[in-house]
Amino acid sequence: MTTLAAPPRDNTVAGVMRRVPWRASVVYIGFVLVFAFFSITQTEYFLTSTNLTNIVVQAAPITVMAIGAVLVLGIGAIDLSIGSTVALAALSTAVVLETTGSWWIAAVAGLVVGAAVGATNGFFITVMRLPSFLVTLASMGLIAGLARQLTDLQSVPVLDSTFVWLFGGGSLLGVPILIWWTVAAALVGWHVLRQRRFGAHVLAVGNNPRAAQVSGILVNRVKMAVFIVSGMTAALAGILYDGRLGGARYTLGEADLMTVLAAVIVGGTALTGGKASIVGAVAGSLLMSMINNGLILSGLNVSQQMIVRGAIILIAVSLSLRGKKSQ
Amino acid sequence: MTATPTITSPLRLAGISKQFGAVTAIQQFDLEIEPGEIVALVGDNGAGKSTLVKIISGLYQPTNGEIWISGERAELSDPSDARARGVEVVYQDLALVDLQPVYMNLFLGRELTRGPLRTLDRARMARETQELVDELDIRIPSARAQLSDLSGGQRQGIAIARATHWASGLVLMDEPTAALGVAETARVEETILKLKERGAAVLIVSHNMEQVFRVADRVTVLRRGTQVGTRVVSETSHNELVAMITGLAS
Ligand SMILES: Nc1ncnc2c1ncn2[C@@H]1O[C@H](COP(=O)(O)OP(=O)(O)OP(=O)(O)O)[C@@H](O)[C@H]1O
Ligand SMILES: [Mg+2]
């Protein structure tokens, strides 16, 4: 038998405390603490089922984007262009819906825009071998410009009732459709990352690209696929905004990049690649939504909300990244 | 080494040369390895040993010369070509994925799946890994342990186990014990000898003369890209090899 005996377990309180993977648990502990805090300070409204449902519904676009971001960070890259892709895809979808009147052609058009953005990012990152940070920083600005150009800064209404039901206001079996979208995105993301060979390859590429390459993994193909997925999840988020808000505007998704990255990092996905968690990212996204909701209920004005939210994200992210070196 | 190719020999190199721009890394290298034979490749730093290993593993393409694998002329345009021909490599800088469990490393790029959805079959990969490490007597806590929790020797053991598992005839090793202590080196050498028992041909790069004498059947010497000679280990001496490596008579 070659198995070594495990060292005896230290079952004192200190020993048990030491075994808890704190860094991976930050998001869940934070979730409980923030929930408890708002429950106590906001008794009247925060705990109503309407409000709790609202927290999950509001989180839908962020959660969908977070799935793509988990994969991107998983390969050790970053996609800064997702926020502006939301706006471009949302506007494209709304414009196509207005001209064709077909909800599904509009949705497909939005997704194609997202895929094209992802493929363009992927091209510069794989073929031109540029760092994803620089490529997506540039495309972020470029796409924001395109979104403004597309309708000349005008908003586009989304009136099609099927579209609005399916991507915004509908509900199925008493559960809001946006929660179904969230659950579906999370399940697909989890399946891809944990159960498919592709997910294993994503993590291998992020952890040790050379090992992945000499093991026969087509590193560039994996990177390209991940950026296309990231563009498409951003586009889907844009479509969900279209449905929920009943229209598209170039400002959509403006603040989402920070929220998505915060959700994903707090959820235990490493910025350095190779370590990623879908479940953590979903929890992170719900946490961000809850913080947002609680701050609004607290009666803070928009600038105060931004300050407090930024501070909370900073604390949460430093807690989840602290001690990384020593691990 | 100009004889007609032996059909059974796992590896035959004929007149291999490699230029990097103006730099000649390898010049006119010939070698033939039999099944169950361990050949050591020695030489000073920068002699071209790693370059040669990378050529046989498909990472670099030779400027000139022929590679024959299992009696067939092989044009290796990337590592997957070499892998498809049953050539496995243990790299100098371990090509392992630290944040994944041992079994995922063993099956990296060749993961097992099951069911119509082709989901990863983690249970079977873990079981087969455990069987293999047991068979090779590599001592690790568990096939499900994360790789970063293992010692250098255990990791090198896993790298060798992976090569063993997938190689059909030829295993290349580039300084497999360079980073290891005495006891761990001994364990890895035992694993290498197990490979030989299984009939694999092994080409091992080493800076350690004692190791060459312990494990190898033959030894070939590179000096600044030129092959200065090949000896049967039992018919040569430490001093002769050092003289060949350095080019100084001793
Ligand atoms: N990709 C490359 N481009 C240019 N020159 C290279 C490249 N790879 C190796 N060389 C050169 O080829 C020569 C042989 O290098 P190689 O790495 O094969 O030596 P080595 O025998 O493995 O040395 P060591 O014992 O230090 O590992 C060196 O002069 C090196 O600088
Ligand atoms: Mg070398």
Side-chain angles (χ1 to χ4, degrees):
Chain A
M1 200 54 216
T2 58
T3 308
L4 292 177
R9 288 210 143 200
D10 177 359
N11 280 327
T12 62
V13 173
V16 172
M17 295 288 282
R18 225 177 295 125
R19 274 206 300 279
V20 175
W22 289 112
R23 223 154 55 73
S25 316
V26 165
V27 66
Y28 307 106
I29 296 167
F31 195 89
V32 171
L33 289 182
V34 171
F35 186 81
F37 177 79
F38 286 133
S39 303
I40 294 164
T41 57
Q42 305 290 326
T43 4
E44 331 82 70
Y45 185 67
F46 181 76
L47 279 176
T48 61
S49 67
T50 319
N51 189 52
L52 295 180
T53 309
N54 203 24
I55 289 175
V56 185
V57 166
Q58 300 270 350
I62 298 295
T63 311
V64 169
M65 272 188 268
I67 305 300
V70 164
L71 296 177
V72 172
L73 294 193
I75 60 167
I78 195 157
D79 187 350
L80 302 175
S81 69
I82 52 177
S84 38
T85 304
V86 167
L88 184 63
L91 281 166
S92 310
T93 303
V95 168
V96 173
L97 185 62
E98 212 175 33
T99 44
T100 67
S102 159
W103 65 268
W104 69 267
I105 294 179
V108 168
L111 291 174
V112 167
V113 166
V117 168
T120 310
N121 284 333
F123 171 81
F124 284 99
I125 289 158
T126 57
V127 181
M128 308 299 285
R129 301 192 195 190
L130 297 172
S132 58
F133 179 83
L134 292 180
V135 169
T136 59
L137 186 64
S139 61
M140 168 172 75
L142 195 151
I143 295 159
L146 284 178
R148 283 161 169 72
Q149 186 84 50
L150 185 65
T151 60
D152 207 9
L153 304 188
Q154 298 301 305
S155 303
V156 183
V158 167
L159 305 167
D160 184 275
S161 59
T162 311
F163 187 99
V164 168
W165 184 88
L166 190 58
F167 299 115
S171 76
L172 202 65
L173 307 172
V175 177
I177 202 88
L178 287 176
I179 295 185
W180 287 112
W181 278 110
T182 305
V183 170
L187 280 179
V188 170
W190 180 83
H191 170 71
V192 167
L193 187 67
R194 289 290 305 166
Q195 296 199 301
R196 299 213 70 81
R197 296 183 65 199
F198 179 74
H201 295 175
V202 163
L203 296 177
V205 166
N207 193 174
N208 188 345
R210 211 183 92 77
Q213 191 218 338
V214 300
S215 302
I217 294 169
L218 301 170
V219 173
N220 277 348
R221 195 183 290 182
V222 171
K223 287 184 178 173
M224 181 59 109
V226 164
F227 273 93
I228 290 176
V229 169
S230 177
M232 290 181 77
T233 51
L236 179 56
I239 292 169
L240 297 180
Y241 278 127
D242 277 348
R244 199 181 81 210
L245 306 174
R249 202 175 144 68
Y250 68 90
T251 51
L252 282 180
E254 236 174 12
D256 288 355
L257 174 63
M258 181 179 79
T259 315
V260 169
L261 288 181
V264 170
I265 292 165
V266 168
T269 293
L271 271 170
T272 43
K275 187 167 165 291
S277 167
I278 294 285
V279 179
V282 173
S285 150
L286 294 178
L287 175 62
M288 294 303 144
S289 183
M290 188 162 68
I291 290 172
N292 227 5
N293 177 277
L295 291 178
I296 293 169
L297 294 185
S298 305
L300 299 184
N301 67 35
V302 175
S303 19
Q304 291 165 330
Q305 285 173 35
M306 284 174 76
I307 294 168
V308 176
R309 192 164 50 221
I312 292 176
I313 291 175
L314 206 53
I315 293 168
V317 169
S318 29
L319 281 178
S320 43
L321 293 183
R322 201 174 54 100
K324 183 158 176 39
K325 284 271 151 53
S326 66
Q327 285 216 327
Chain B
M1 288 282 164
T2 48
T4 51
T6 317
I7 297 302
T8 52
S9 79
L11 176 69
R12 193 173 82 91
L13 302 175
I16 297 288
S17 304
K18 178 67 182 173
Q19 304 267 140
F20 290 110
V23 180
T24 304
I26 308 272
Q27 217 170 6
Q28 285 295 320
F29 189 95
D30 300 304
L31 183 68
E32 187 160 357
I33 310 184
E34 301 301 321
E37 187 185 31
I38 301 180
V39 174
L41 177 60
V42 300
D44 238 334
N45 293 118
K49 305 181 296 296
S50 296
T51 303
L52 191 73
V53 168
K54 286 173 182 164
I55 288 172
I56 308 169
S57 60
L59 223 46
Y60 294 161
Q61 284 65 51
T63 314
N64 267 309
E66 295 177 2
I67 304 171
W68 294 72
I69 292 169
S70 303
E72 278 179 40
R73 176 74 195 276
E75 296 280 356
L76 309 172
S77 52
D78 65 64
S80 62
D81 284 346
R83 212 180 359 256
R85 291 174 182 270
V87 177
E88 287 293 321
V89 192
V90 178
Y91 290 93
Q92 189 169 10
D93 45 349
L94 301 176
L96 297 172
V97 181
D98 271 352
L99 298 172
Q100 294 287 315
V102 171
Y103 68 83
M104 276 305 251
N105 273 280
L106 218 105
F107 287 89
L108 193 62
R110 292 179 275 220
E111 300 82 2
L112 303 178
T113 58
R114 69 189 158 92
L117 274 179
R118 307 218 295 128
T119 54
L120 290 176
D121 193 347
R122 292 176 186 271
R124 189 166 143 224
M125 288 192 276
R127 195 173 62 243
E128 290 190 9
T129 300
Q130 191 66 53
E131 284 166 14
L132 183 70
V133 297
D134 286 350
E135 187 193 334
L136 293 175
D137 204 16
I138 299 160
R139 298 181 187 172
I140 56 167
S142 144
R144 290 179 182 272
Q146 184 165 306
L147 202 83
S148 55
D149 292 338
L150 303 187
S151 74
Q154 289 170 328
R155 289 145 67 93
Q156 193 56 278
I158 298 308
I160 295 176
R162 177 170 69 182
T164 314
H165 188 63
W166 298 105
S168 62
L170 177 64
V171 178
L172 312 172
M173 300 186 186
D174 196 349
E175 302 192 44
T177 60
L180 305 183
V182 177
E184 297 207 305
T185 297
R187 291 215 61 80
V188 168
E189 287 175 3
E190 280 172 34
T191 311
I192 296 171
L193 291 170
K194 284 230 164 65
L195 275 191
K196 176 186 167 77
E197 278 171 30
R198 291 164 62 122
V202 178
L203 180 67
I204 176 173
V205 173
S206 183
H207 277 290
N208 178 334
M209 284 303 138
E210 283 72 33
Q211 179 168 66
V212 170
F213 282 94
R214 278 194 301 268
V215 303
D217 301 299
R218 283 189 299 145
V219 51
T220 189
V221 182
L222 267 182
R223 188 166 71 230
R224 292 171 163 211
T226 306
Q227 189 176 23
V228 290
T230 302
R231 299 285 182 272
V232 173
V233 165
S234 58
E235 294 166 6
T236 185
S237 68
H238 191 281
N239 285 348
E240 183 187 20
L241 286 183
V242 171
M244 287 167 78
I245 290 168
T246 58
L248 305 169
S250 53

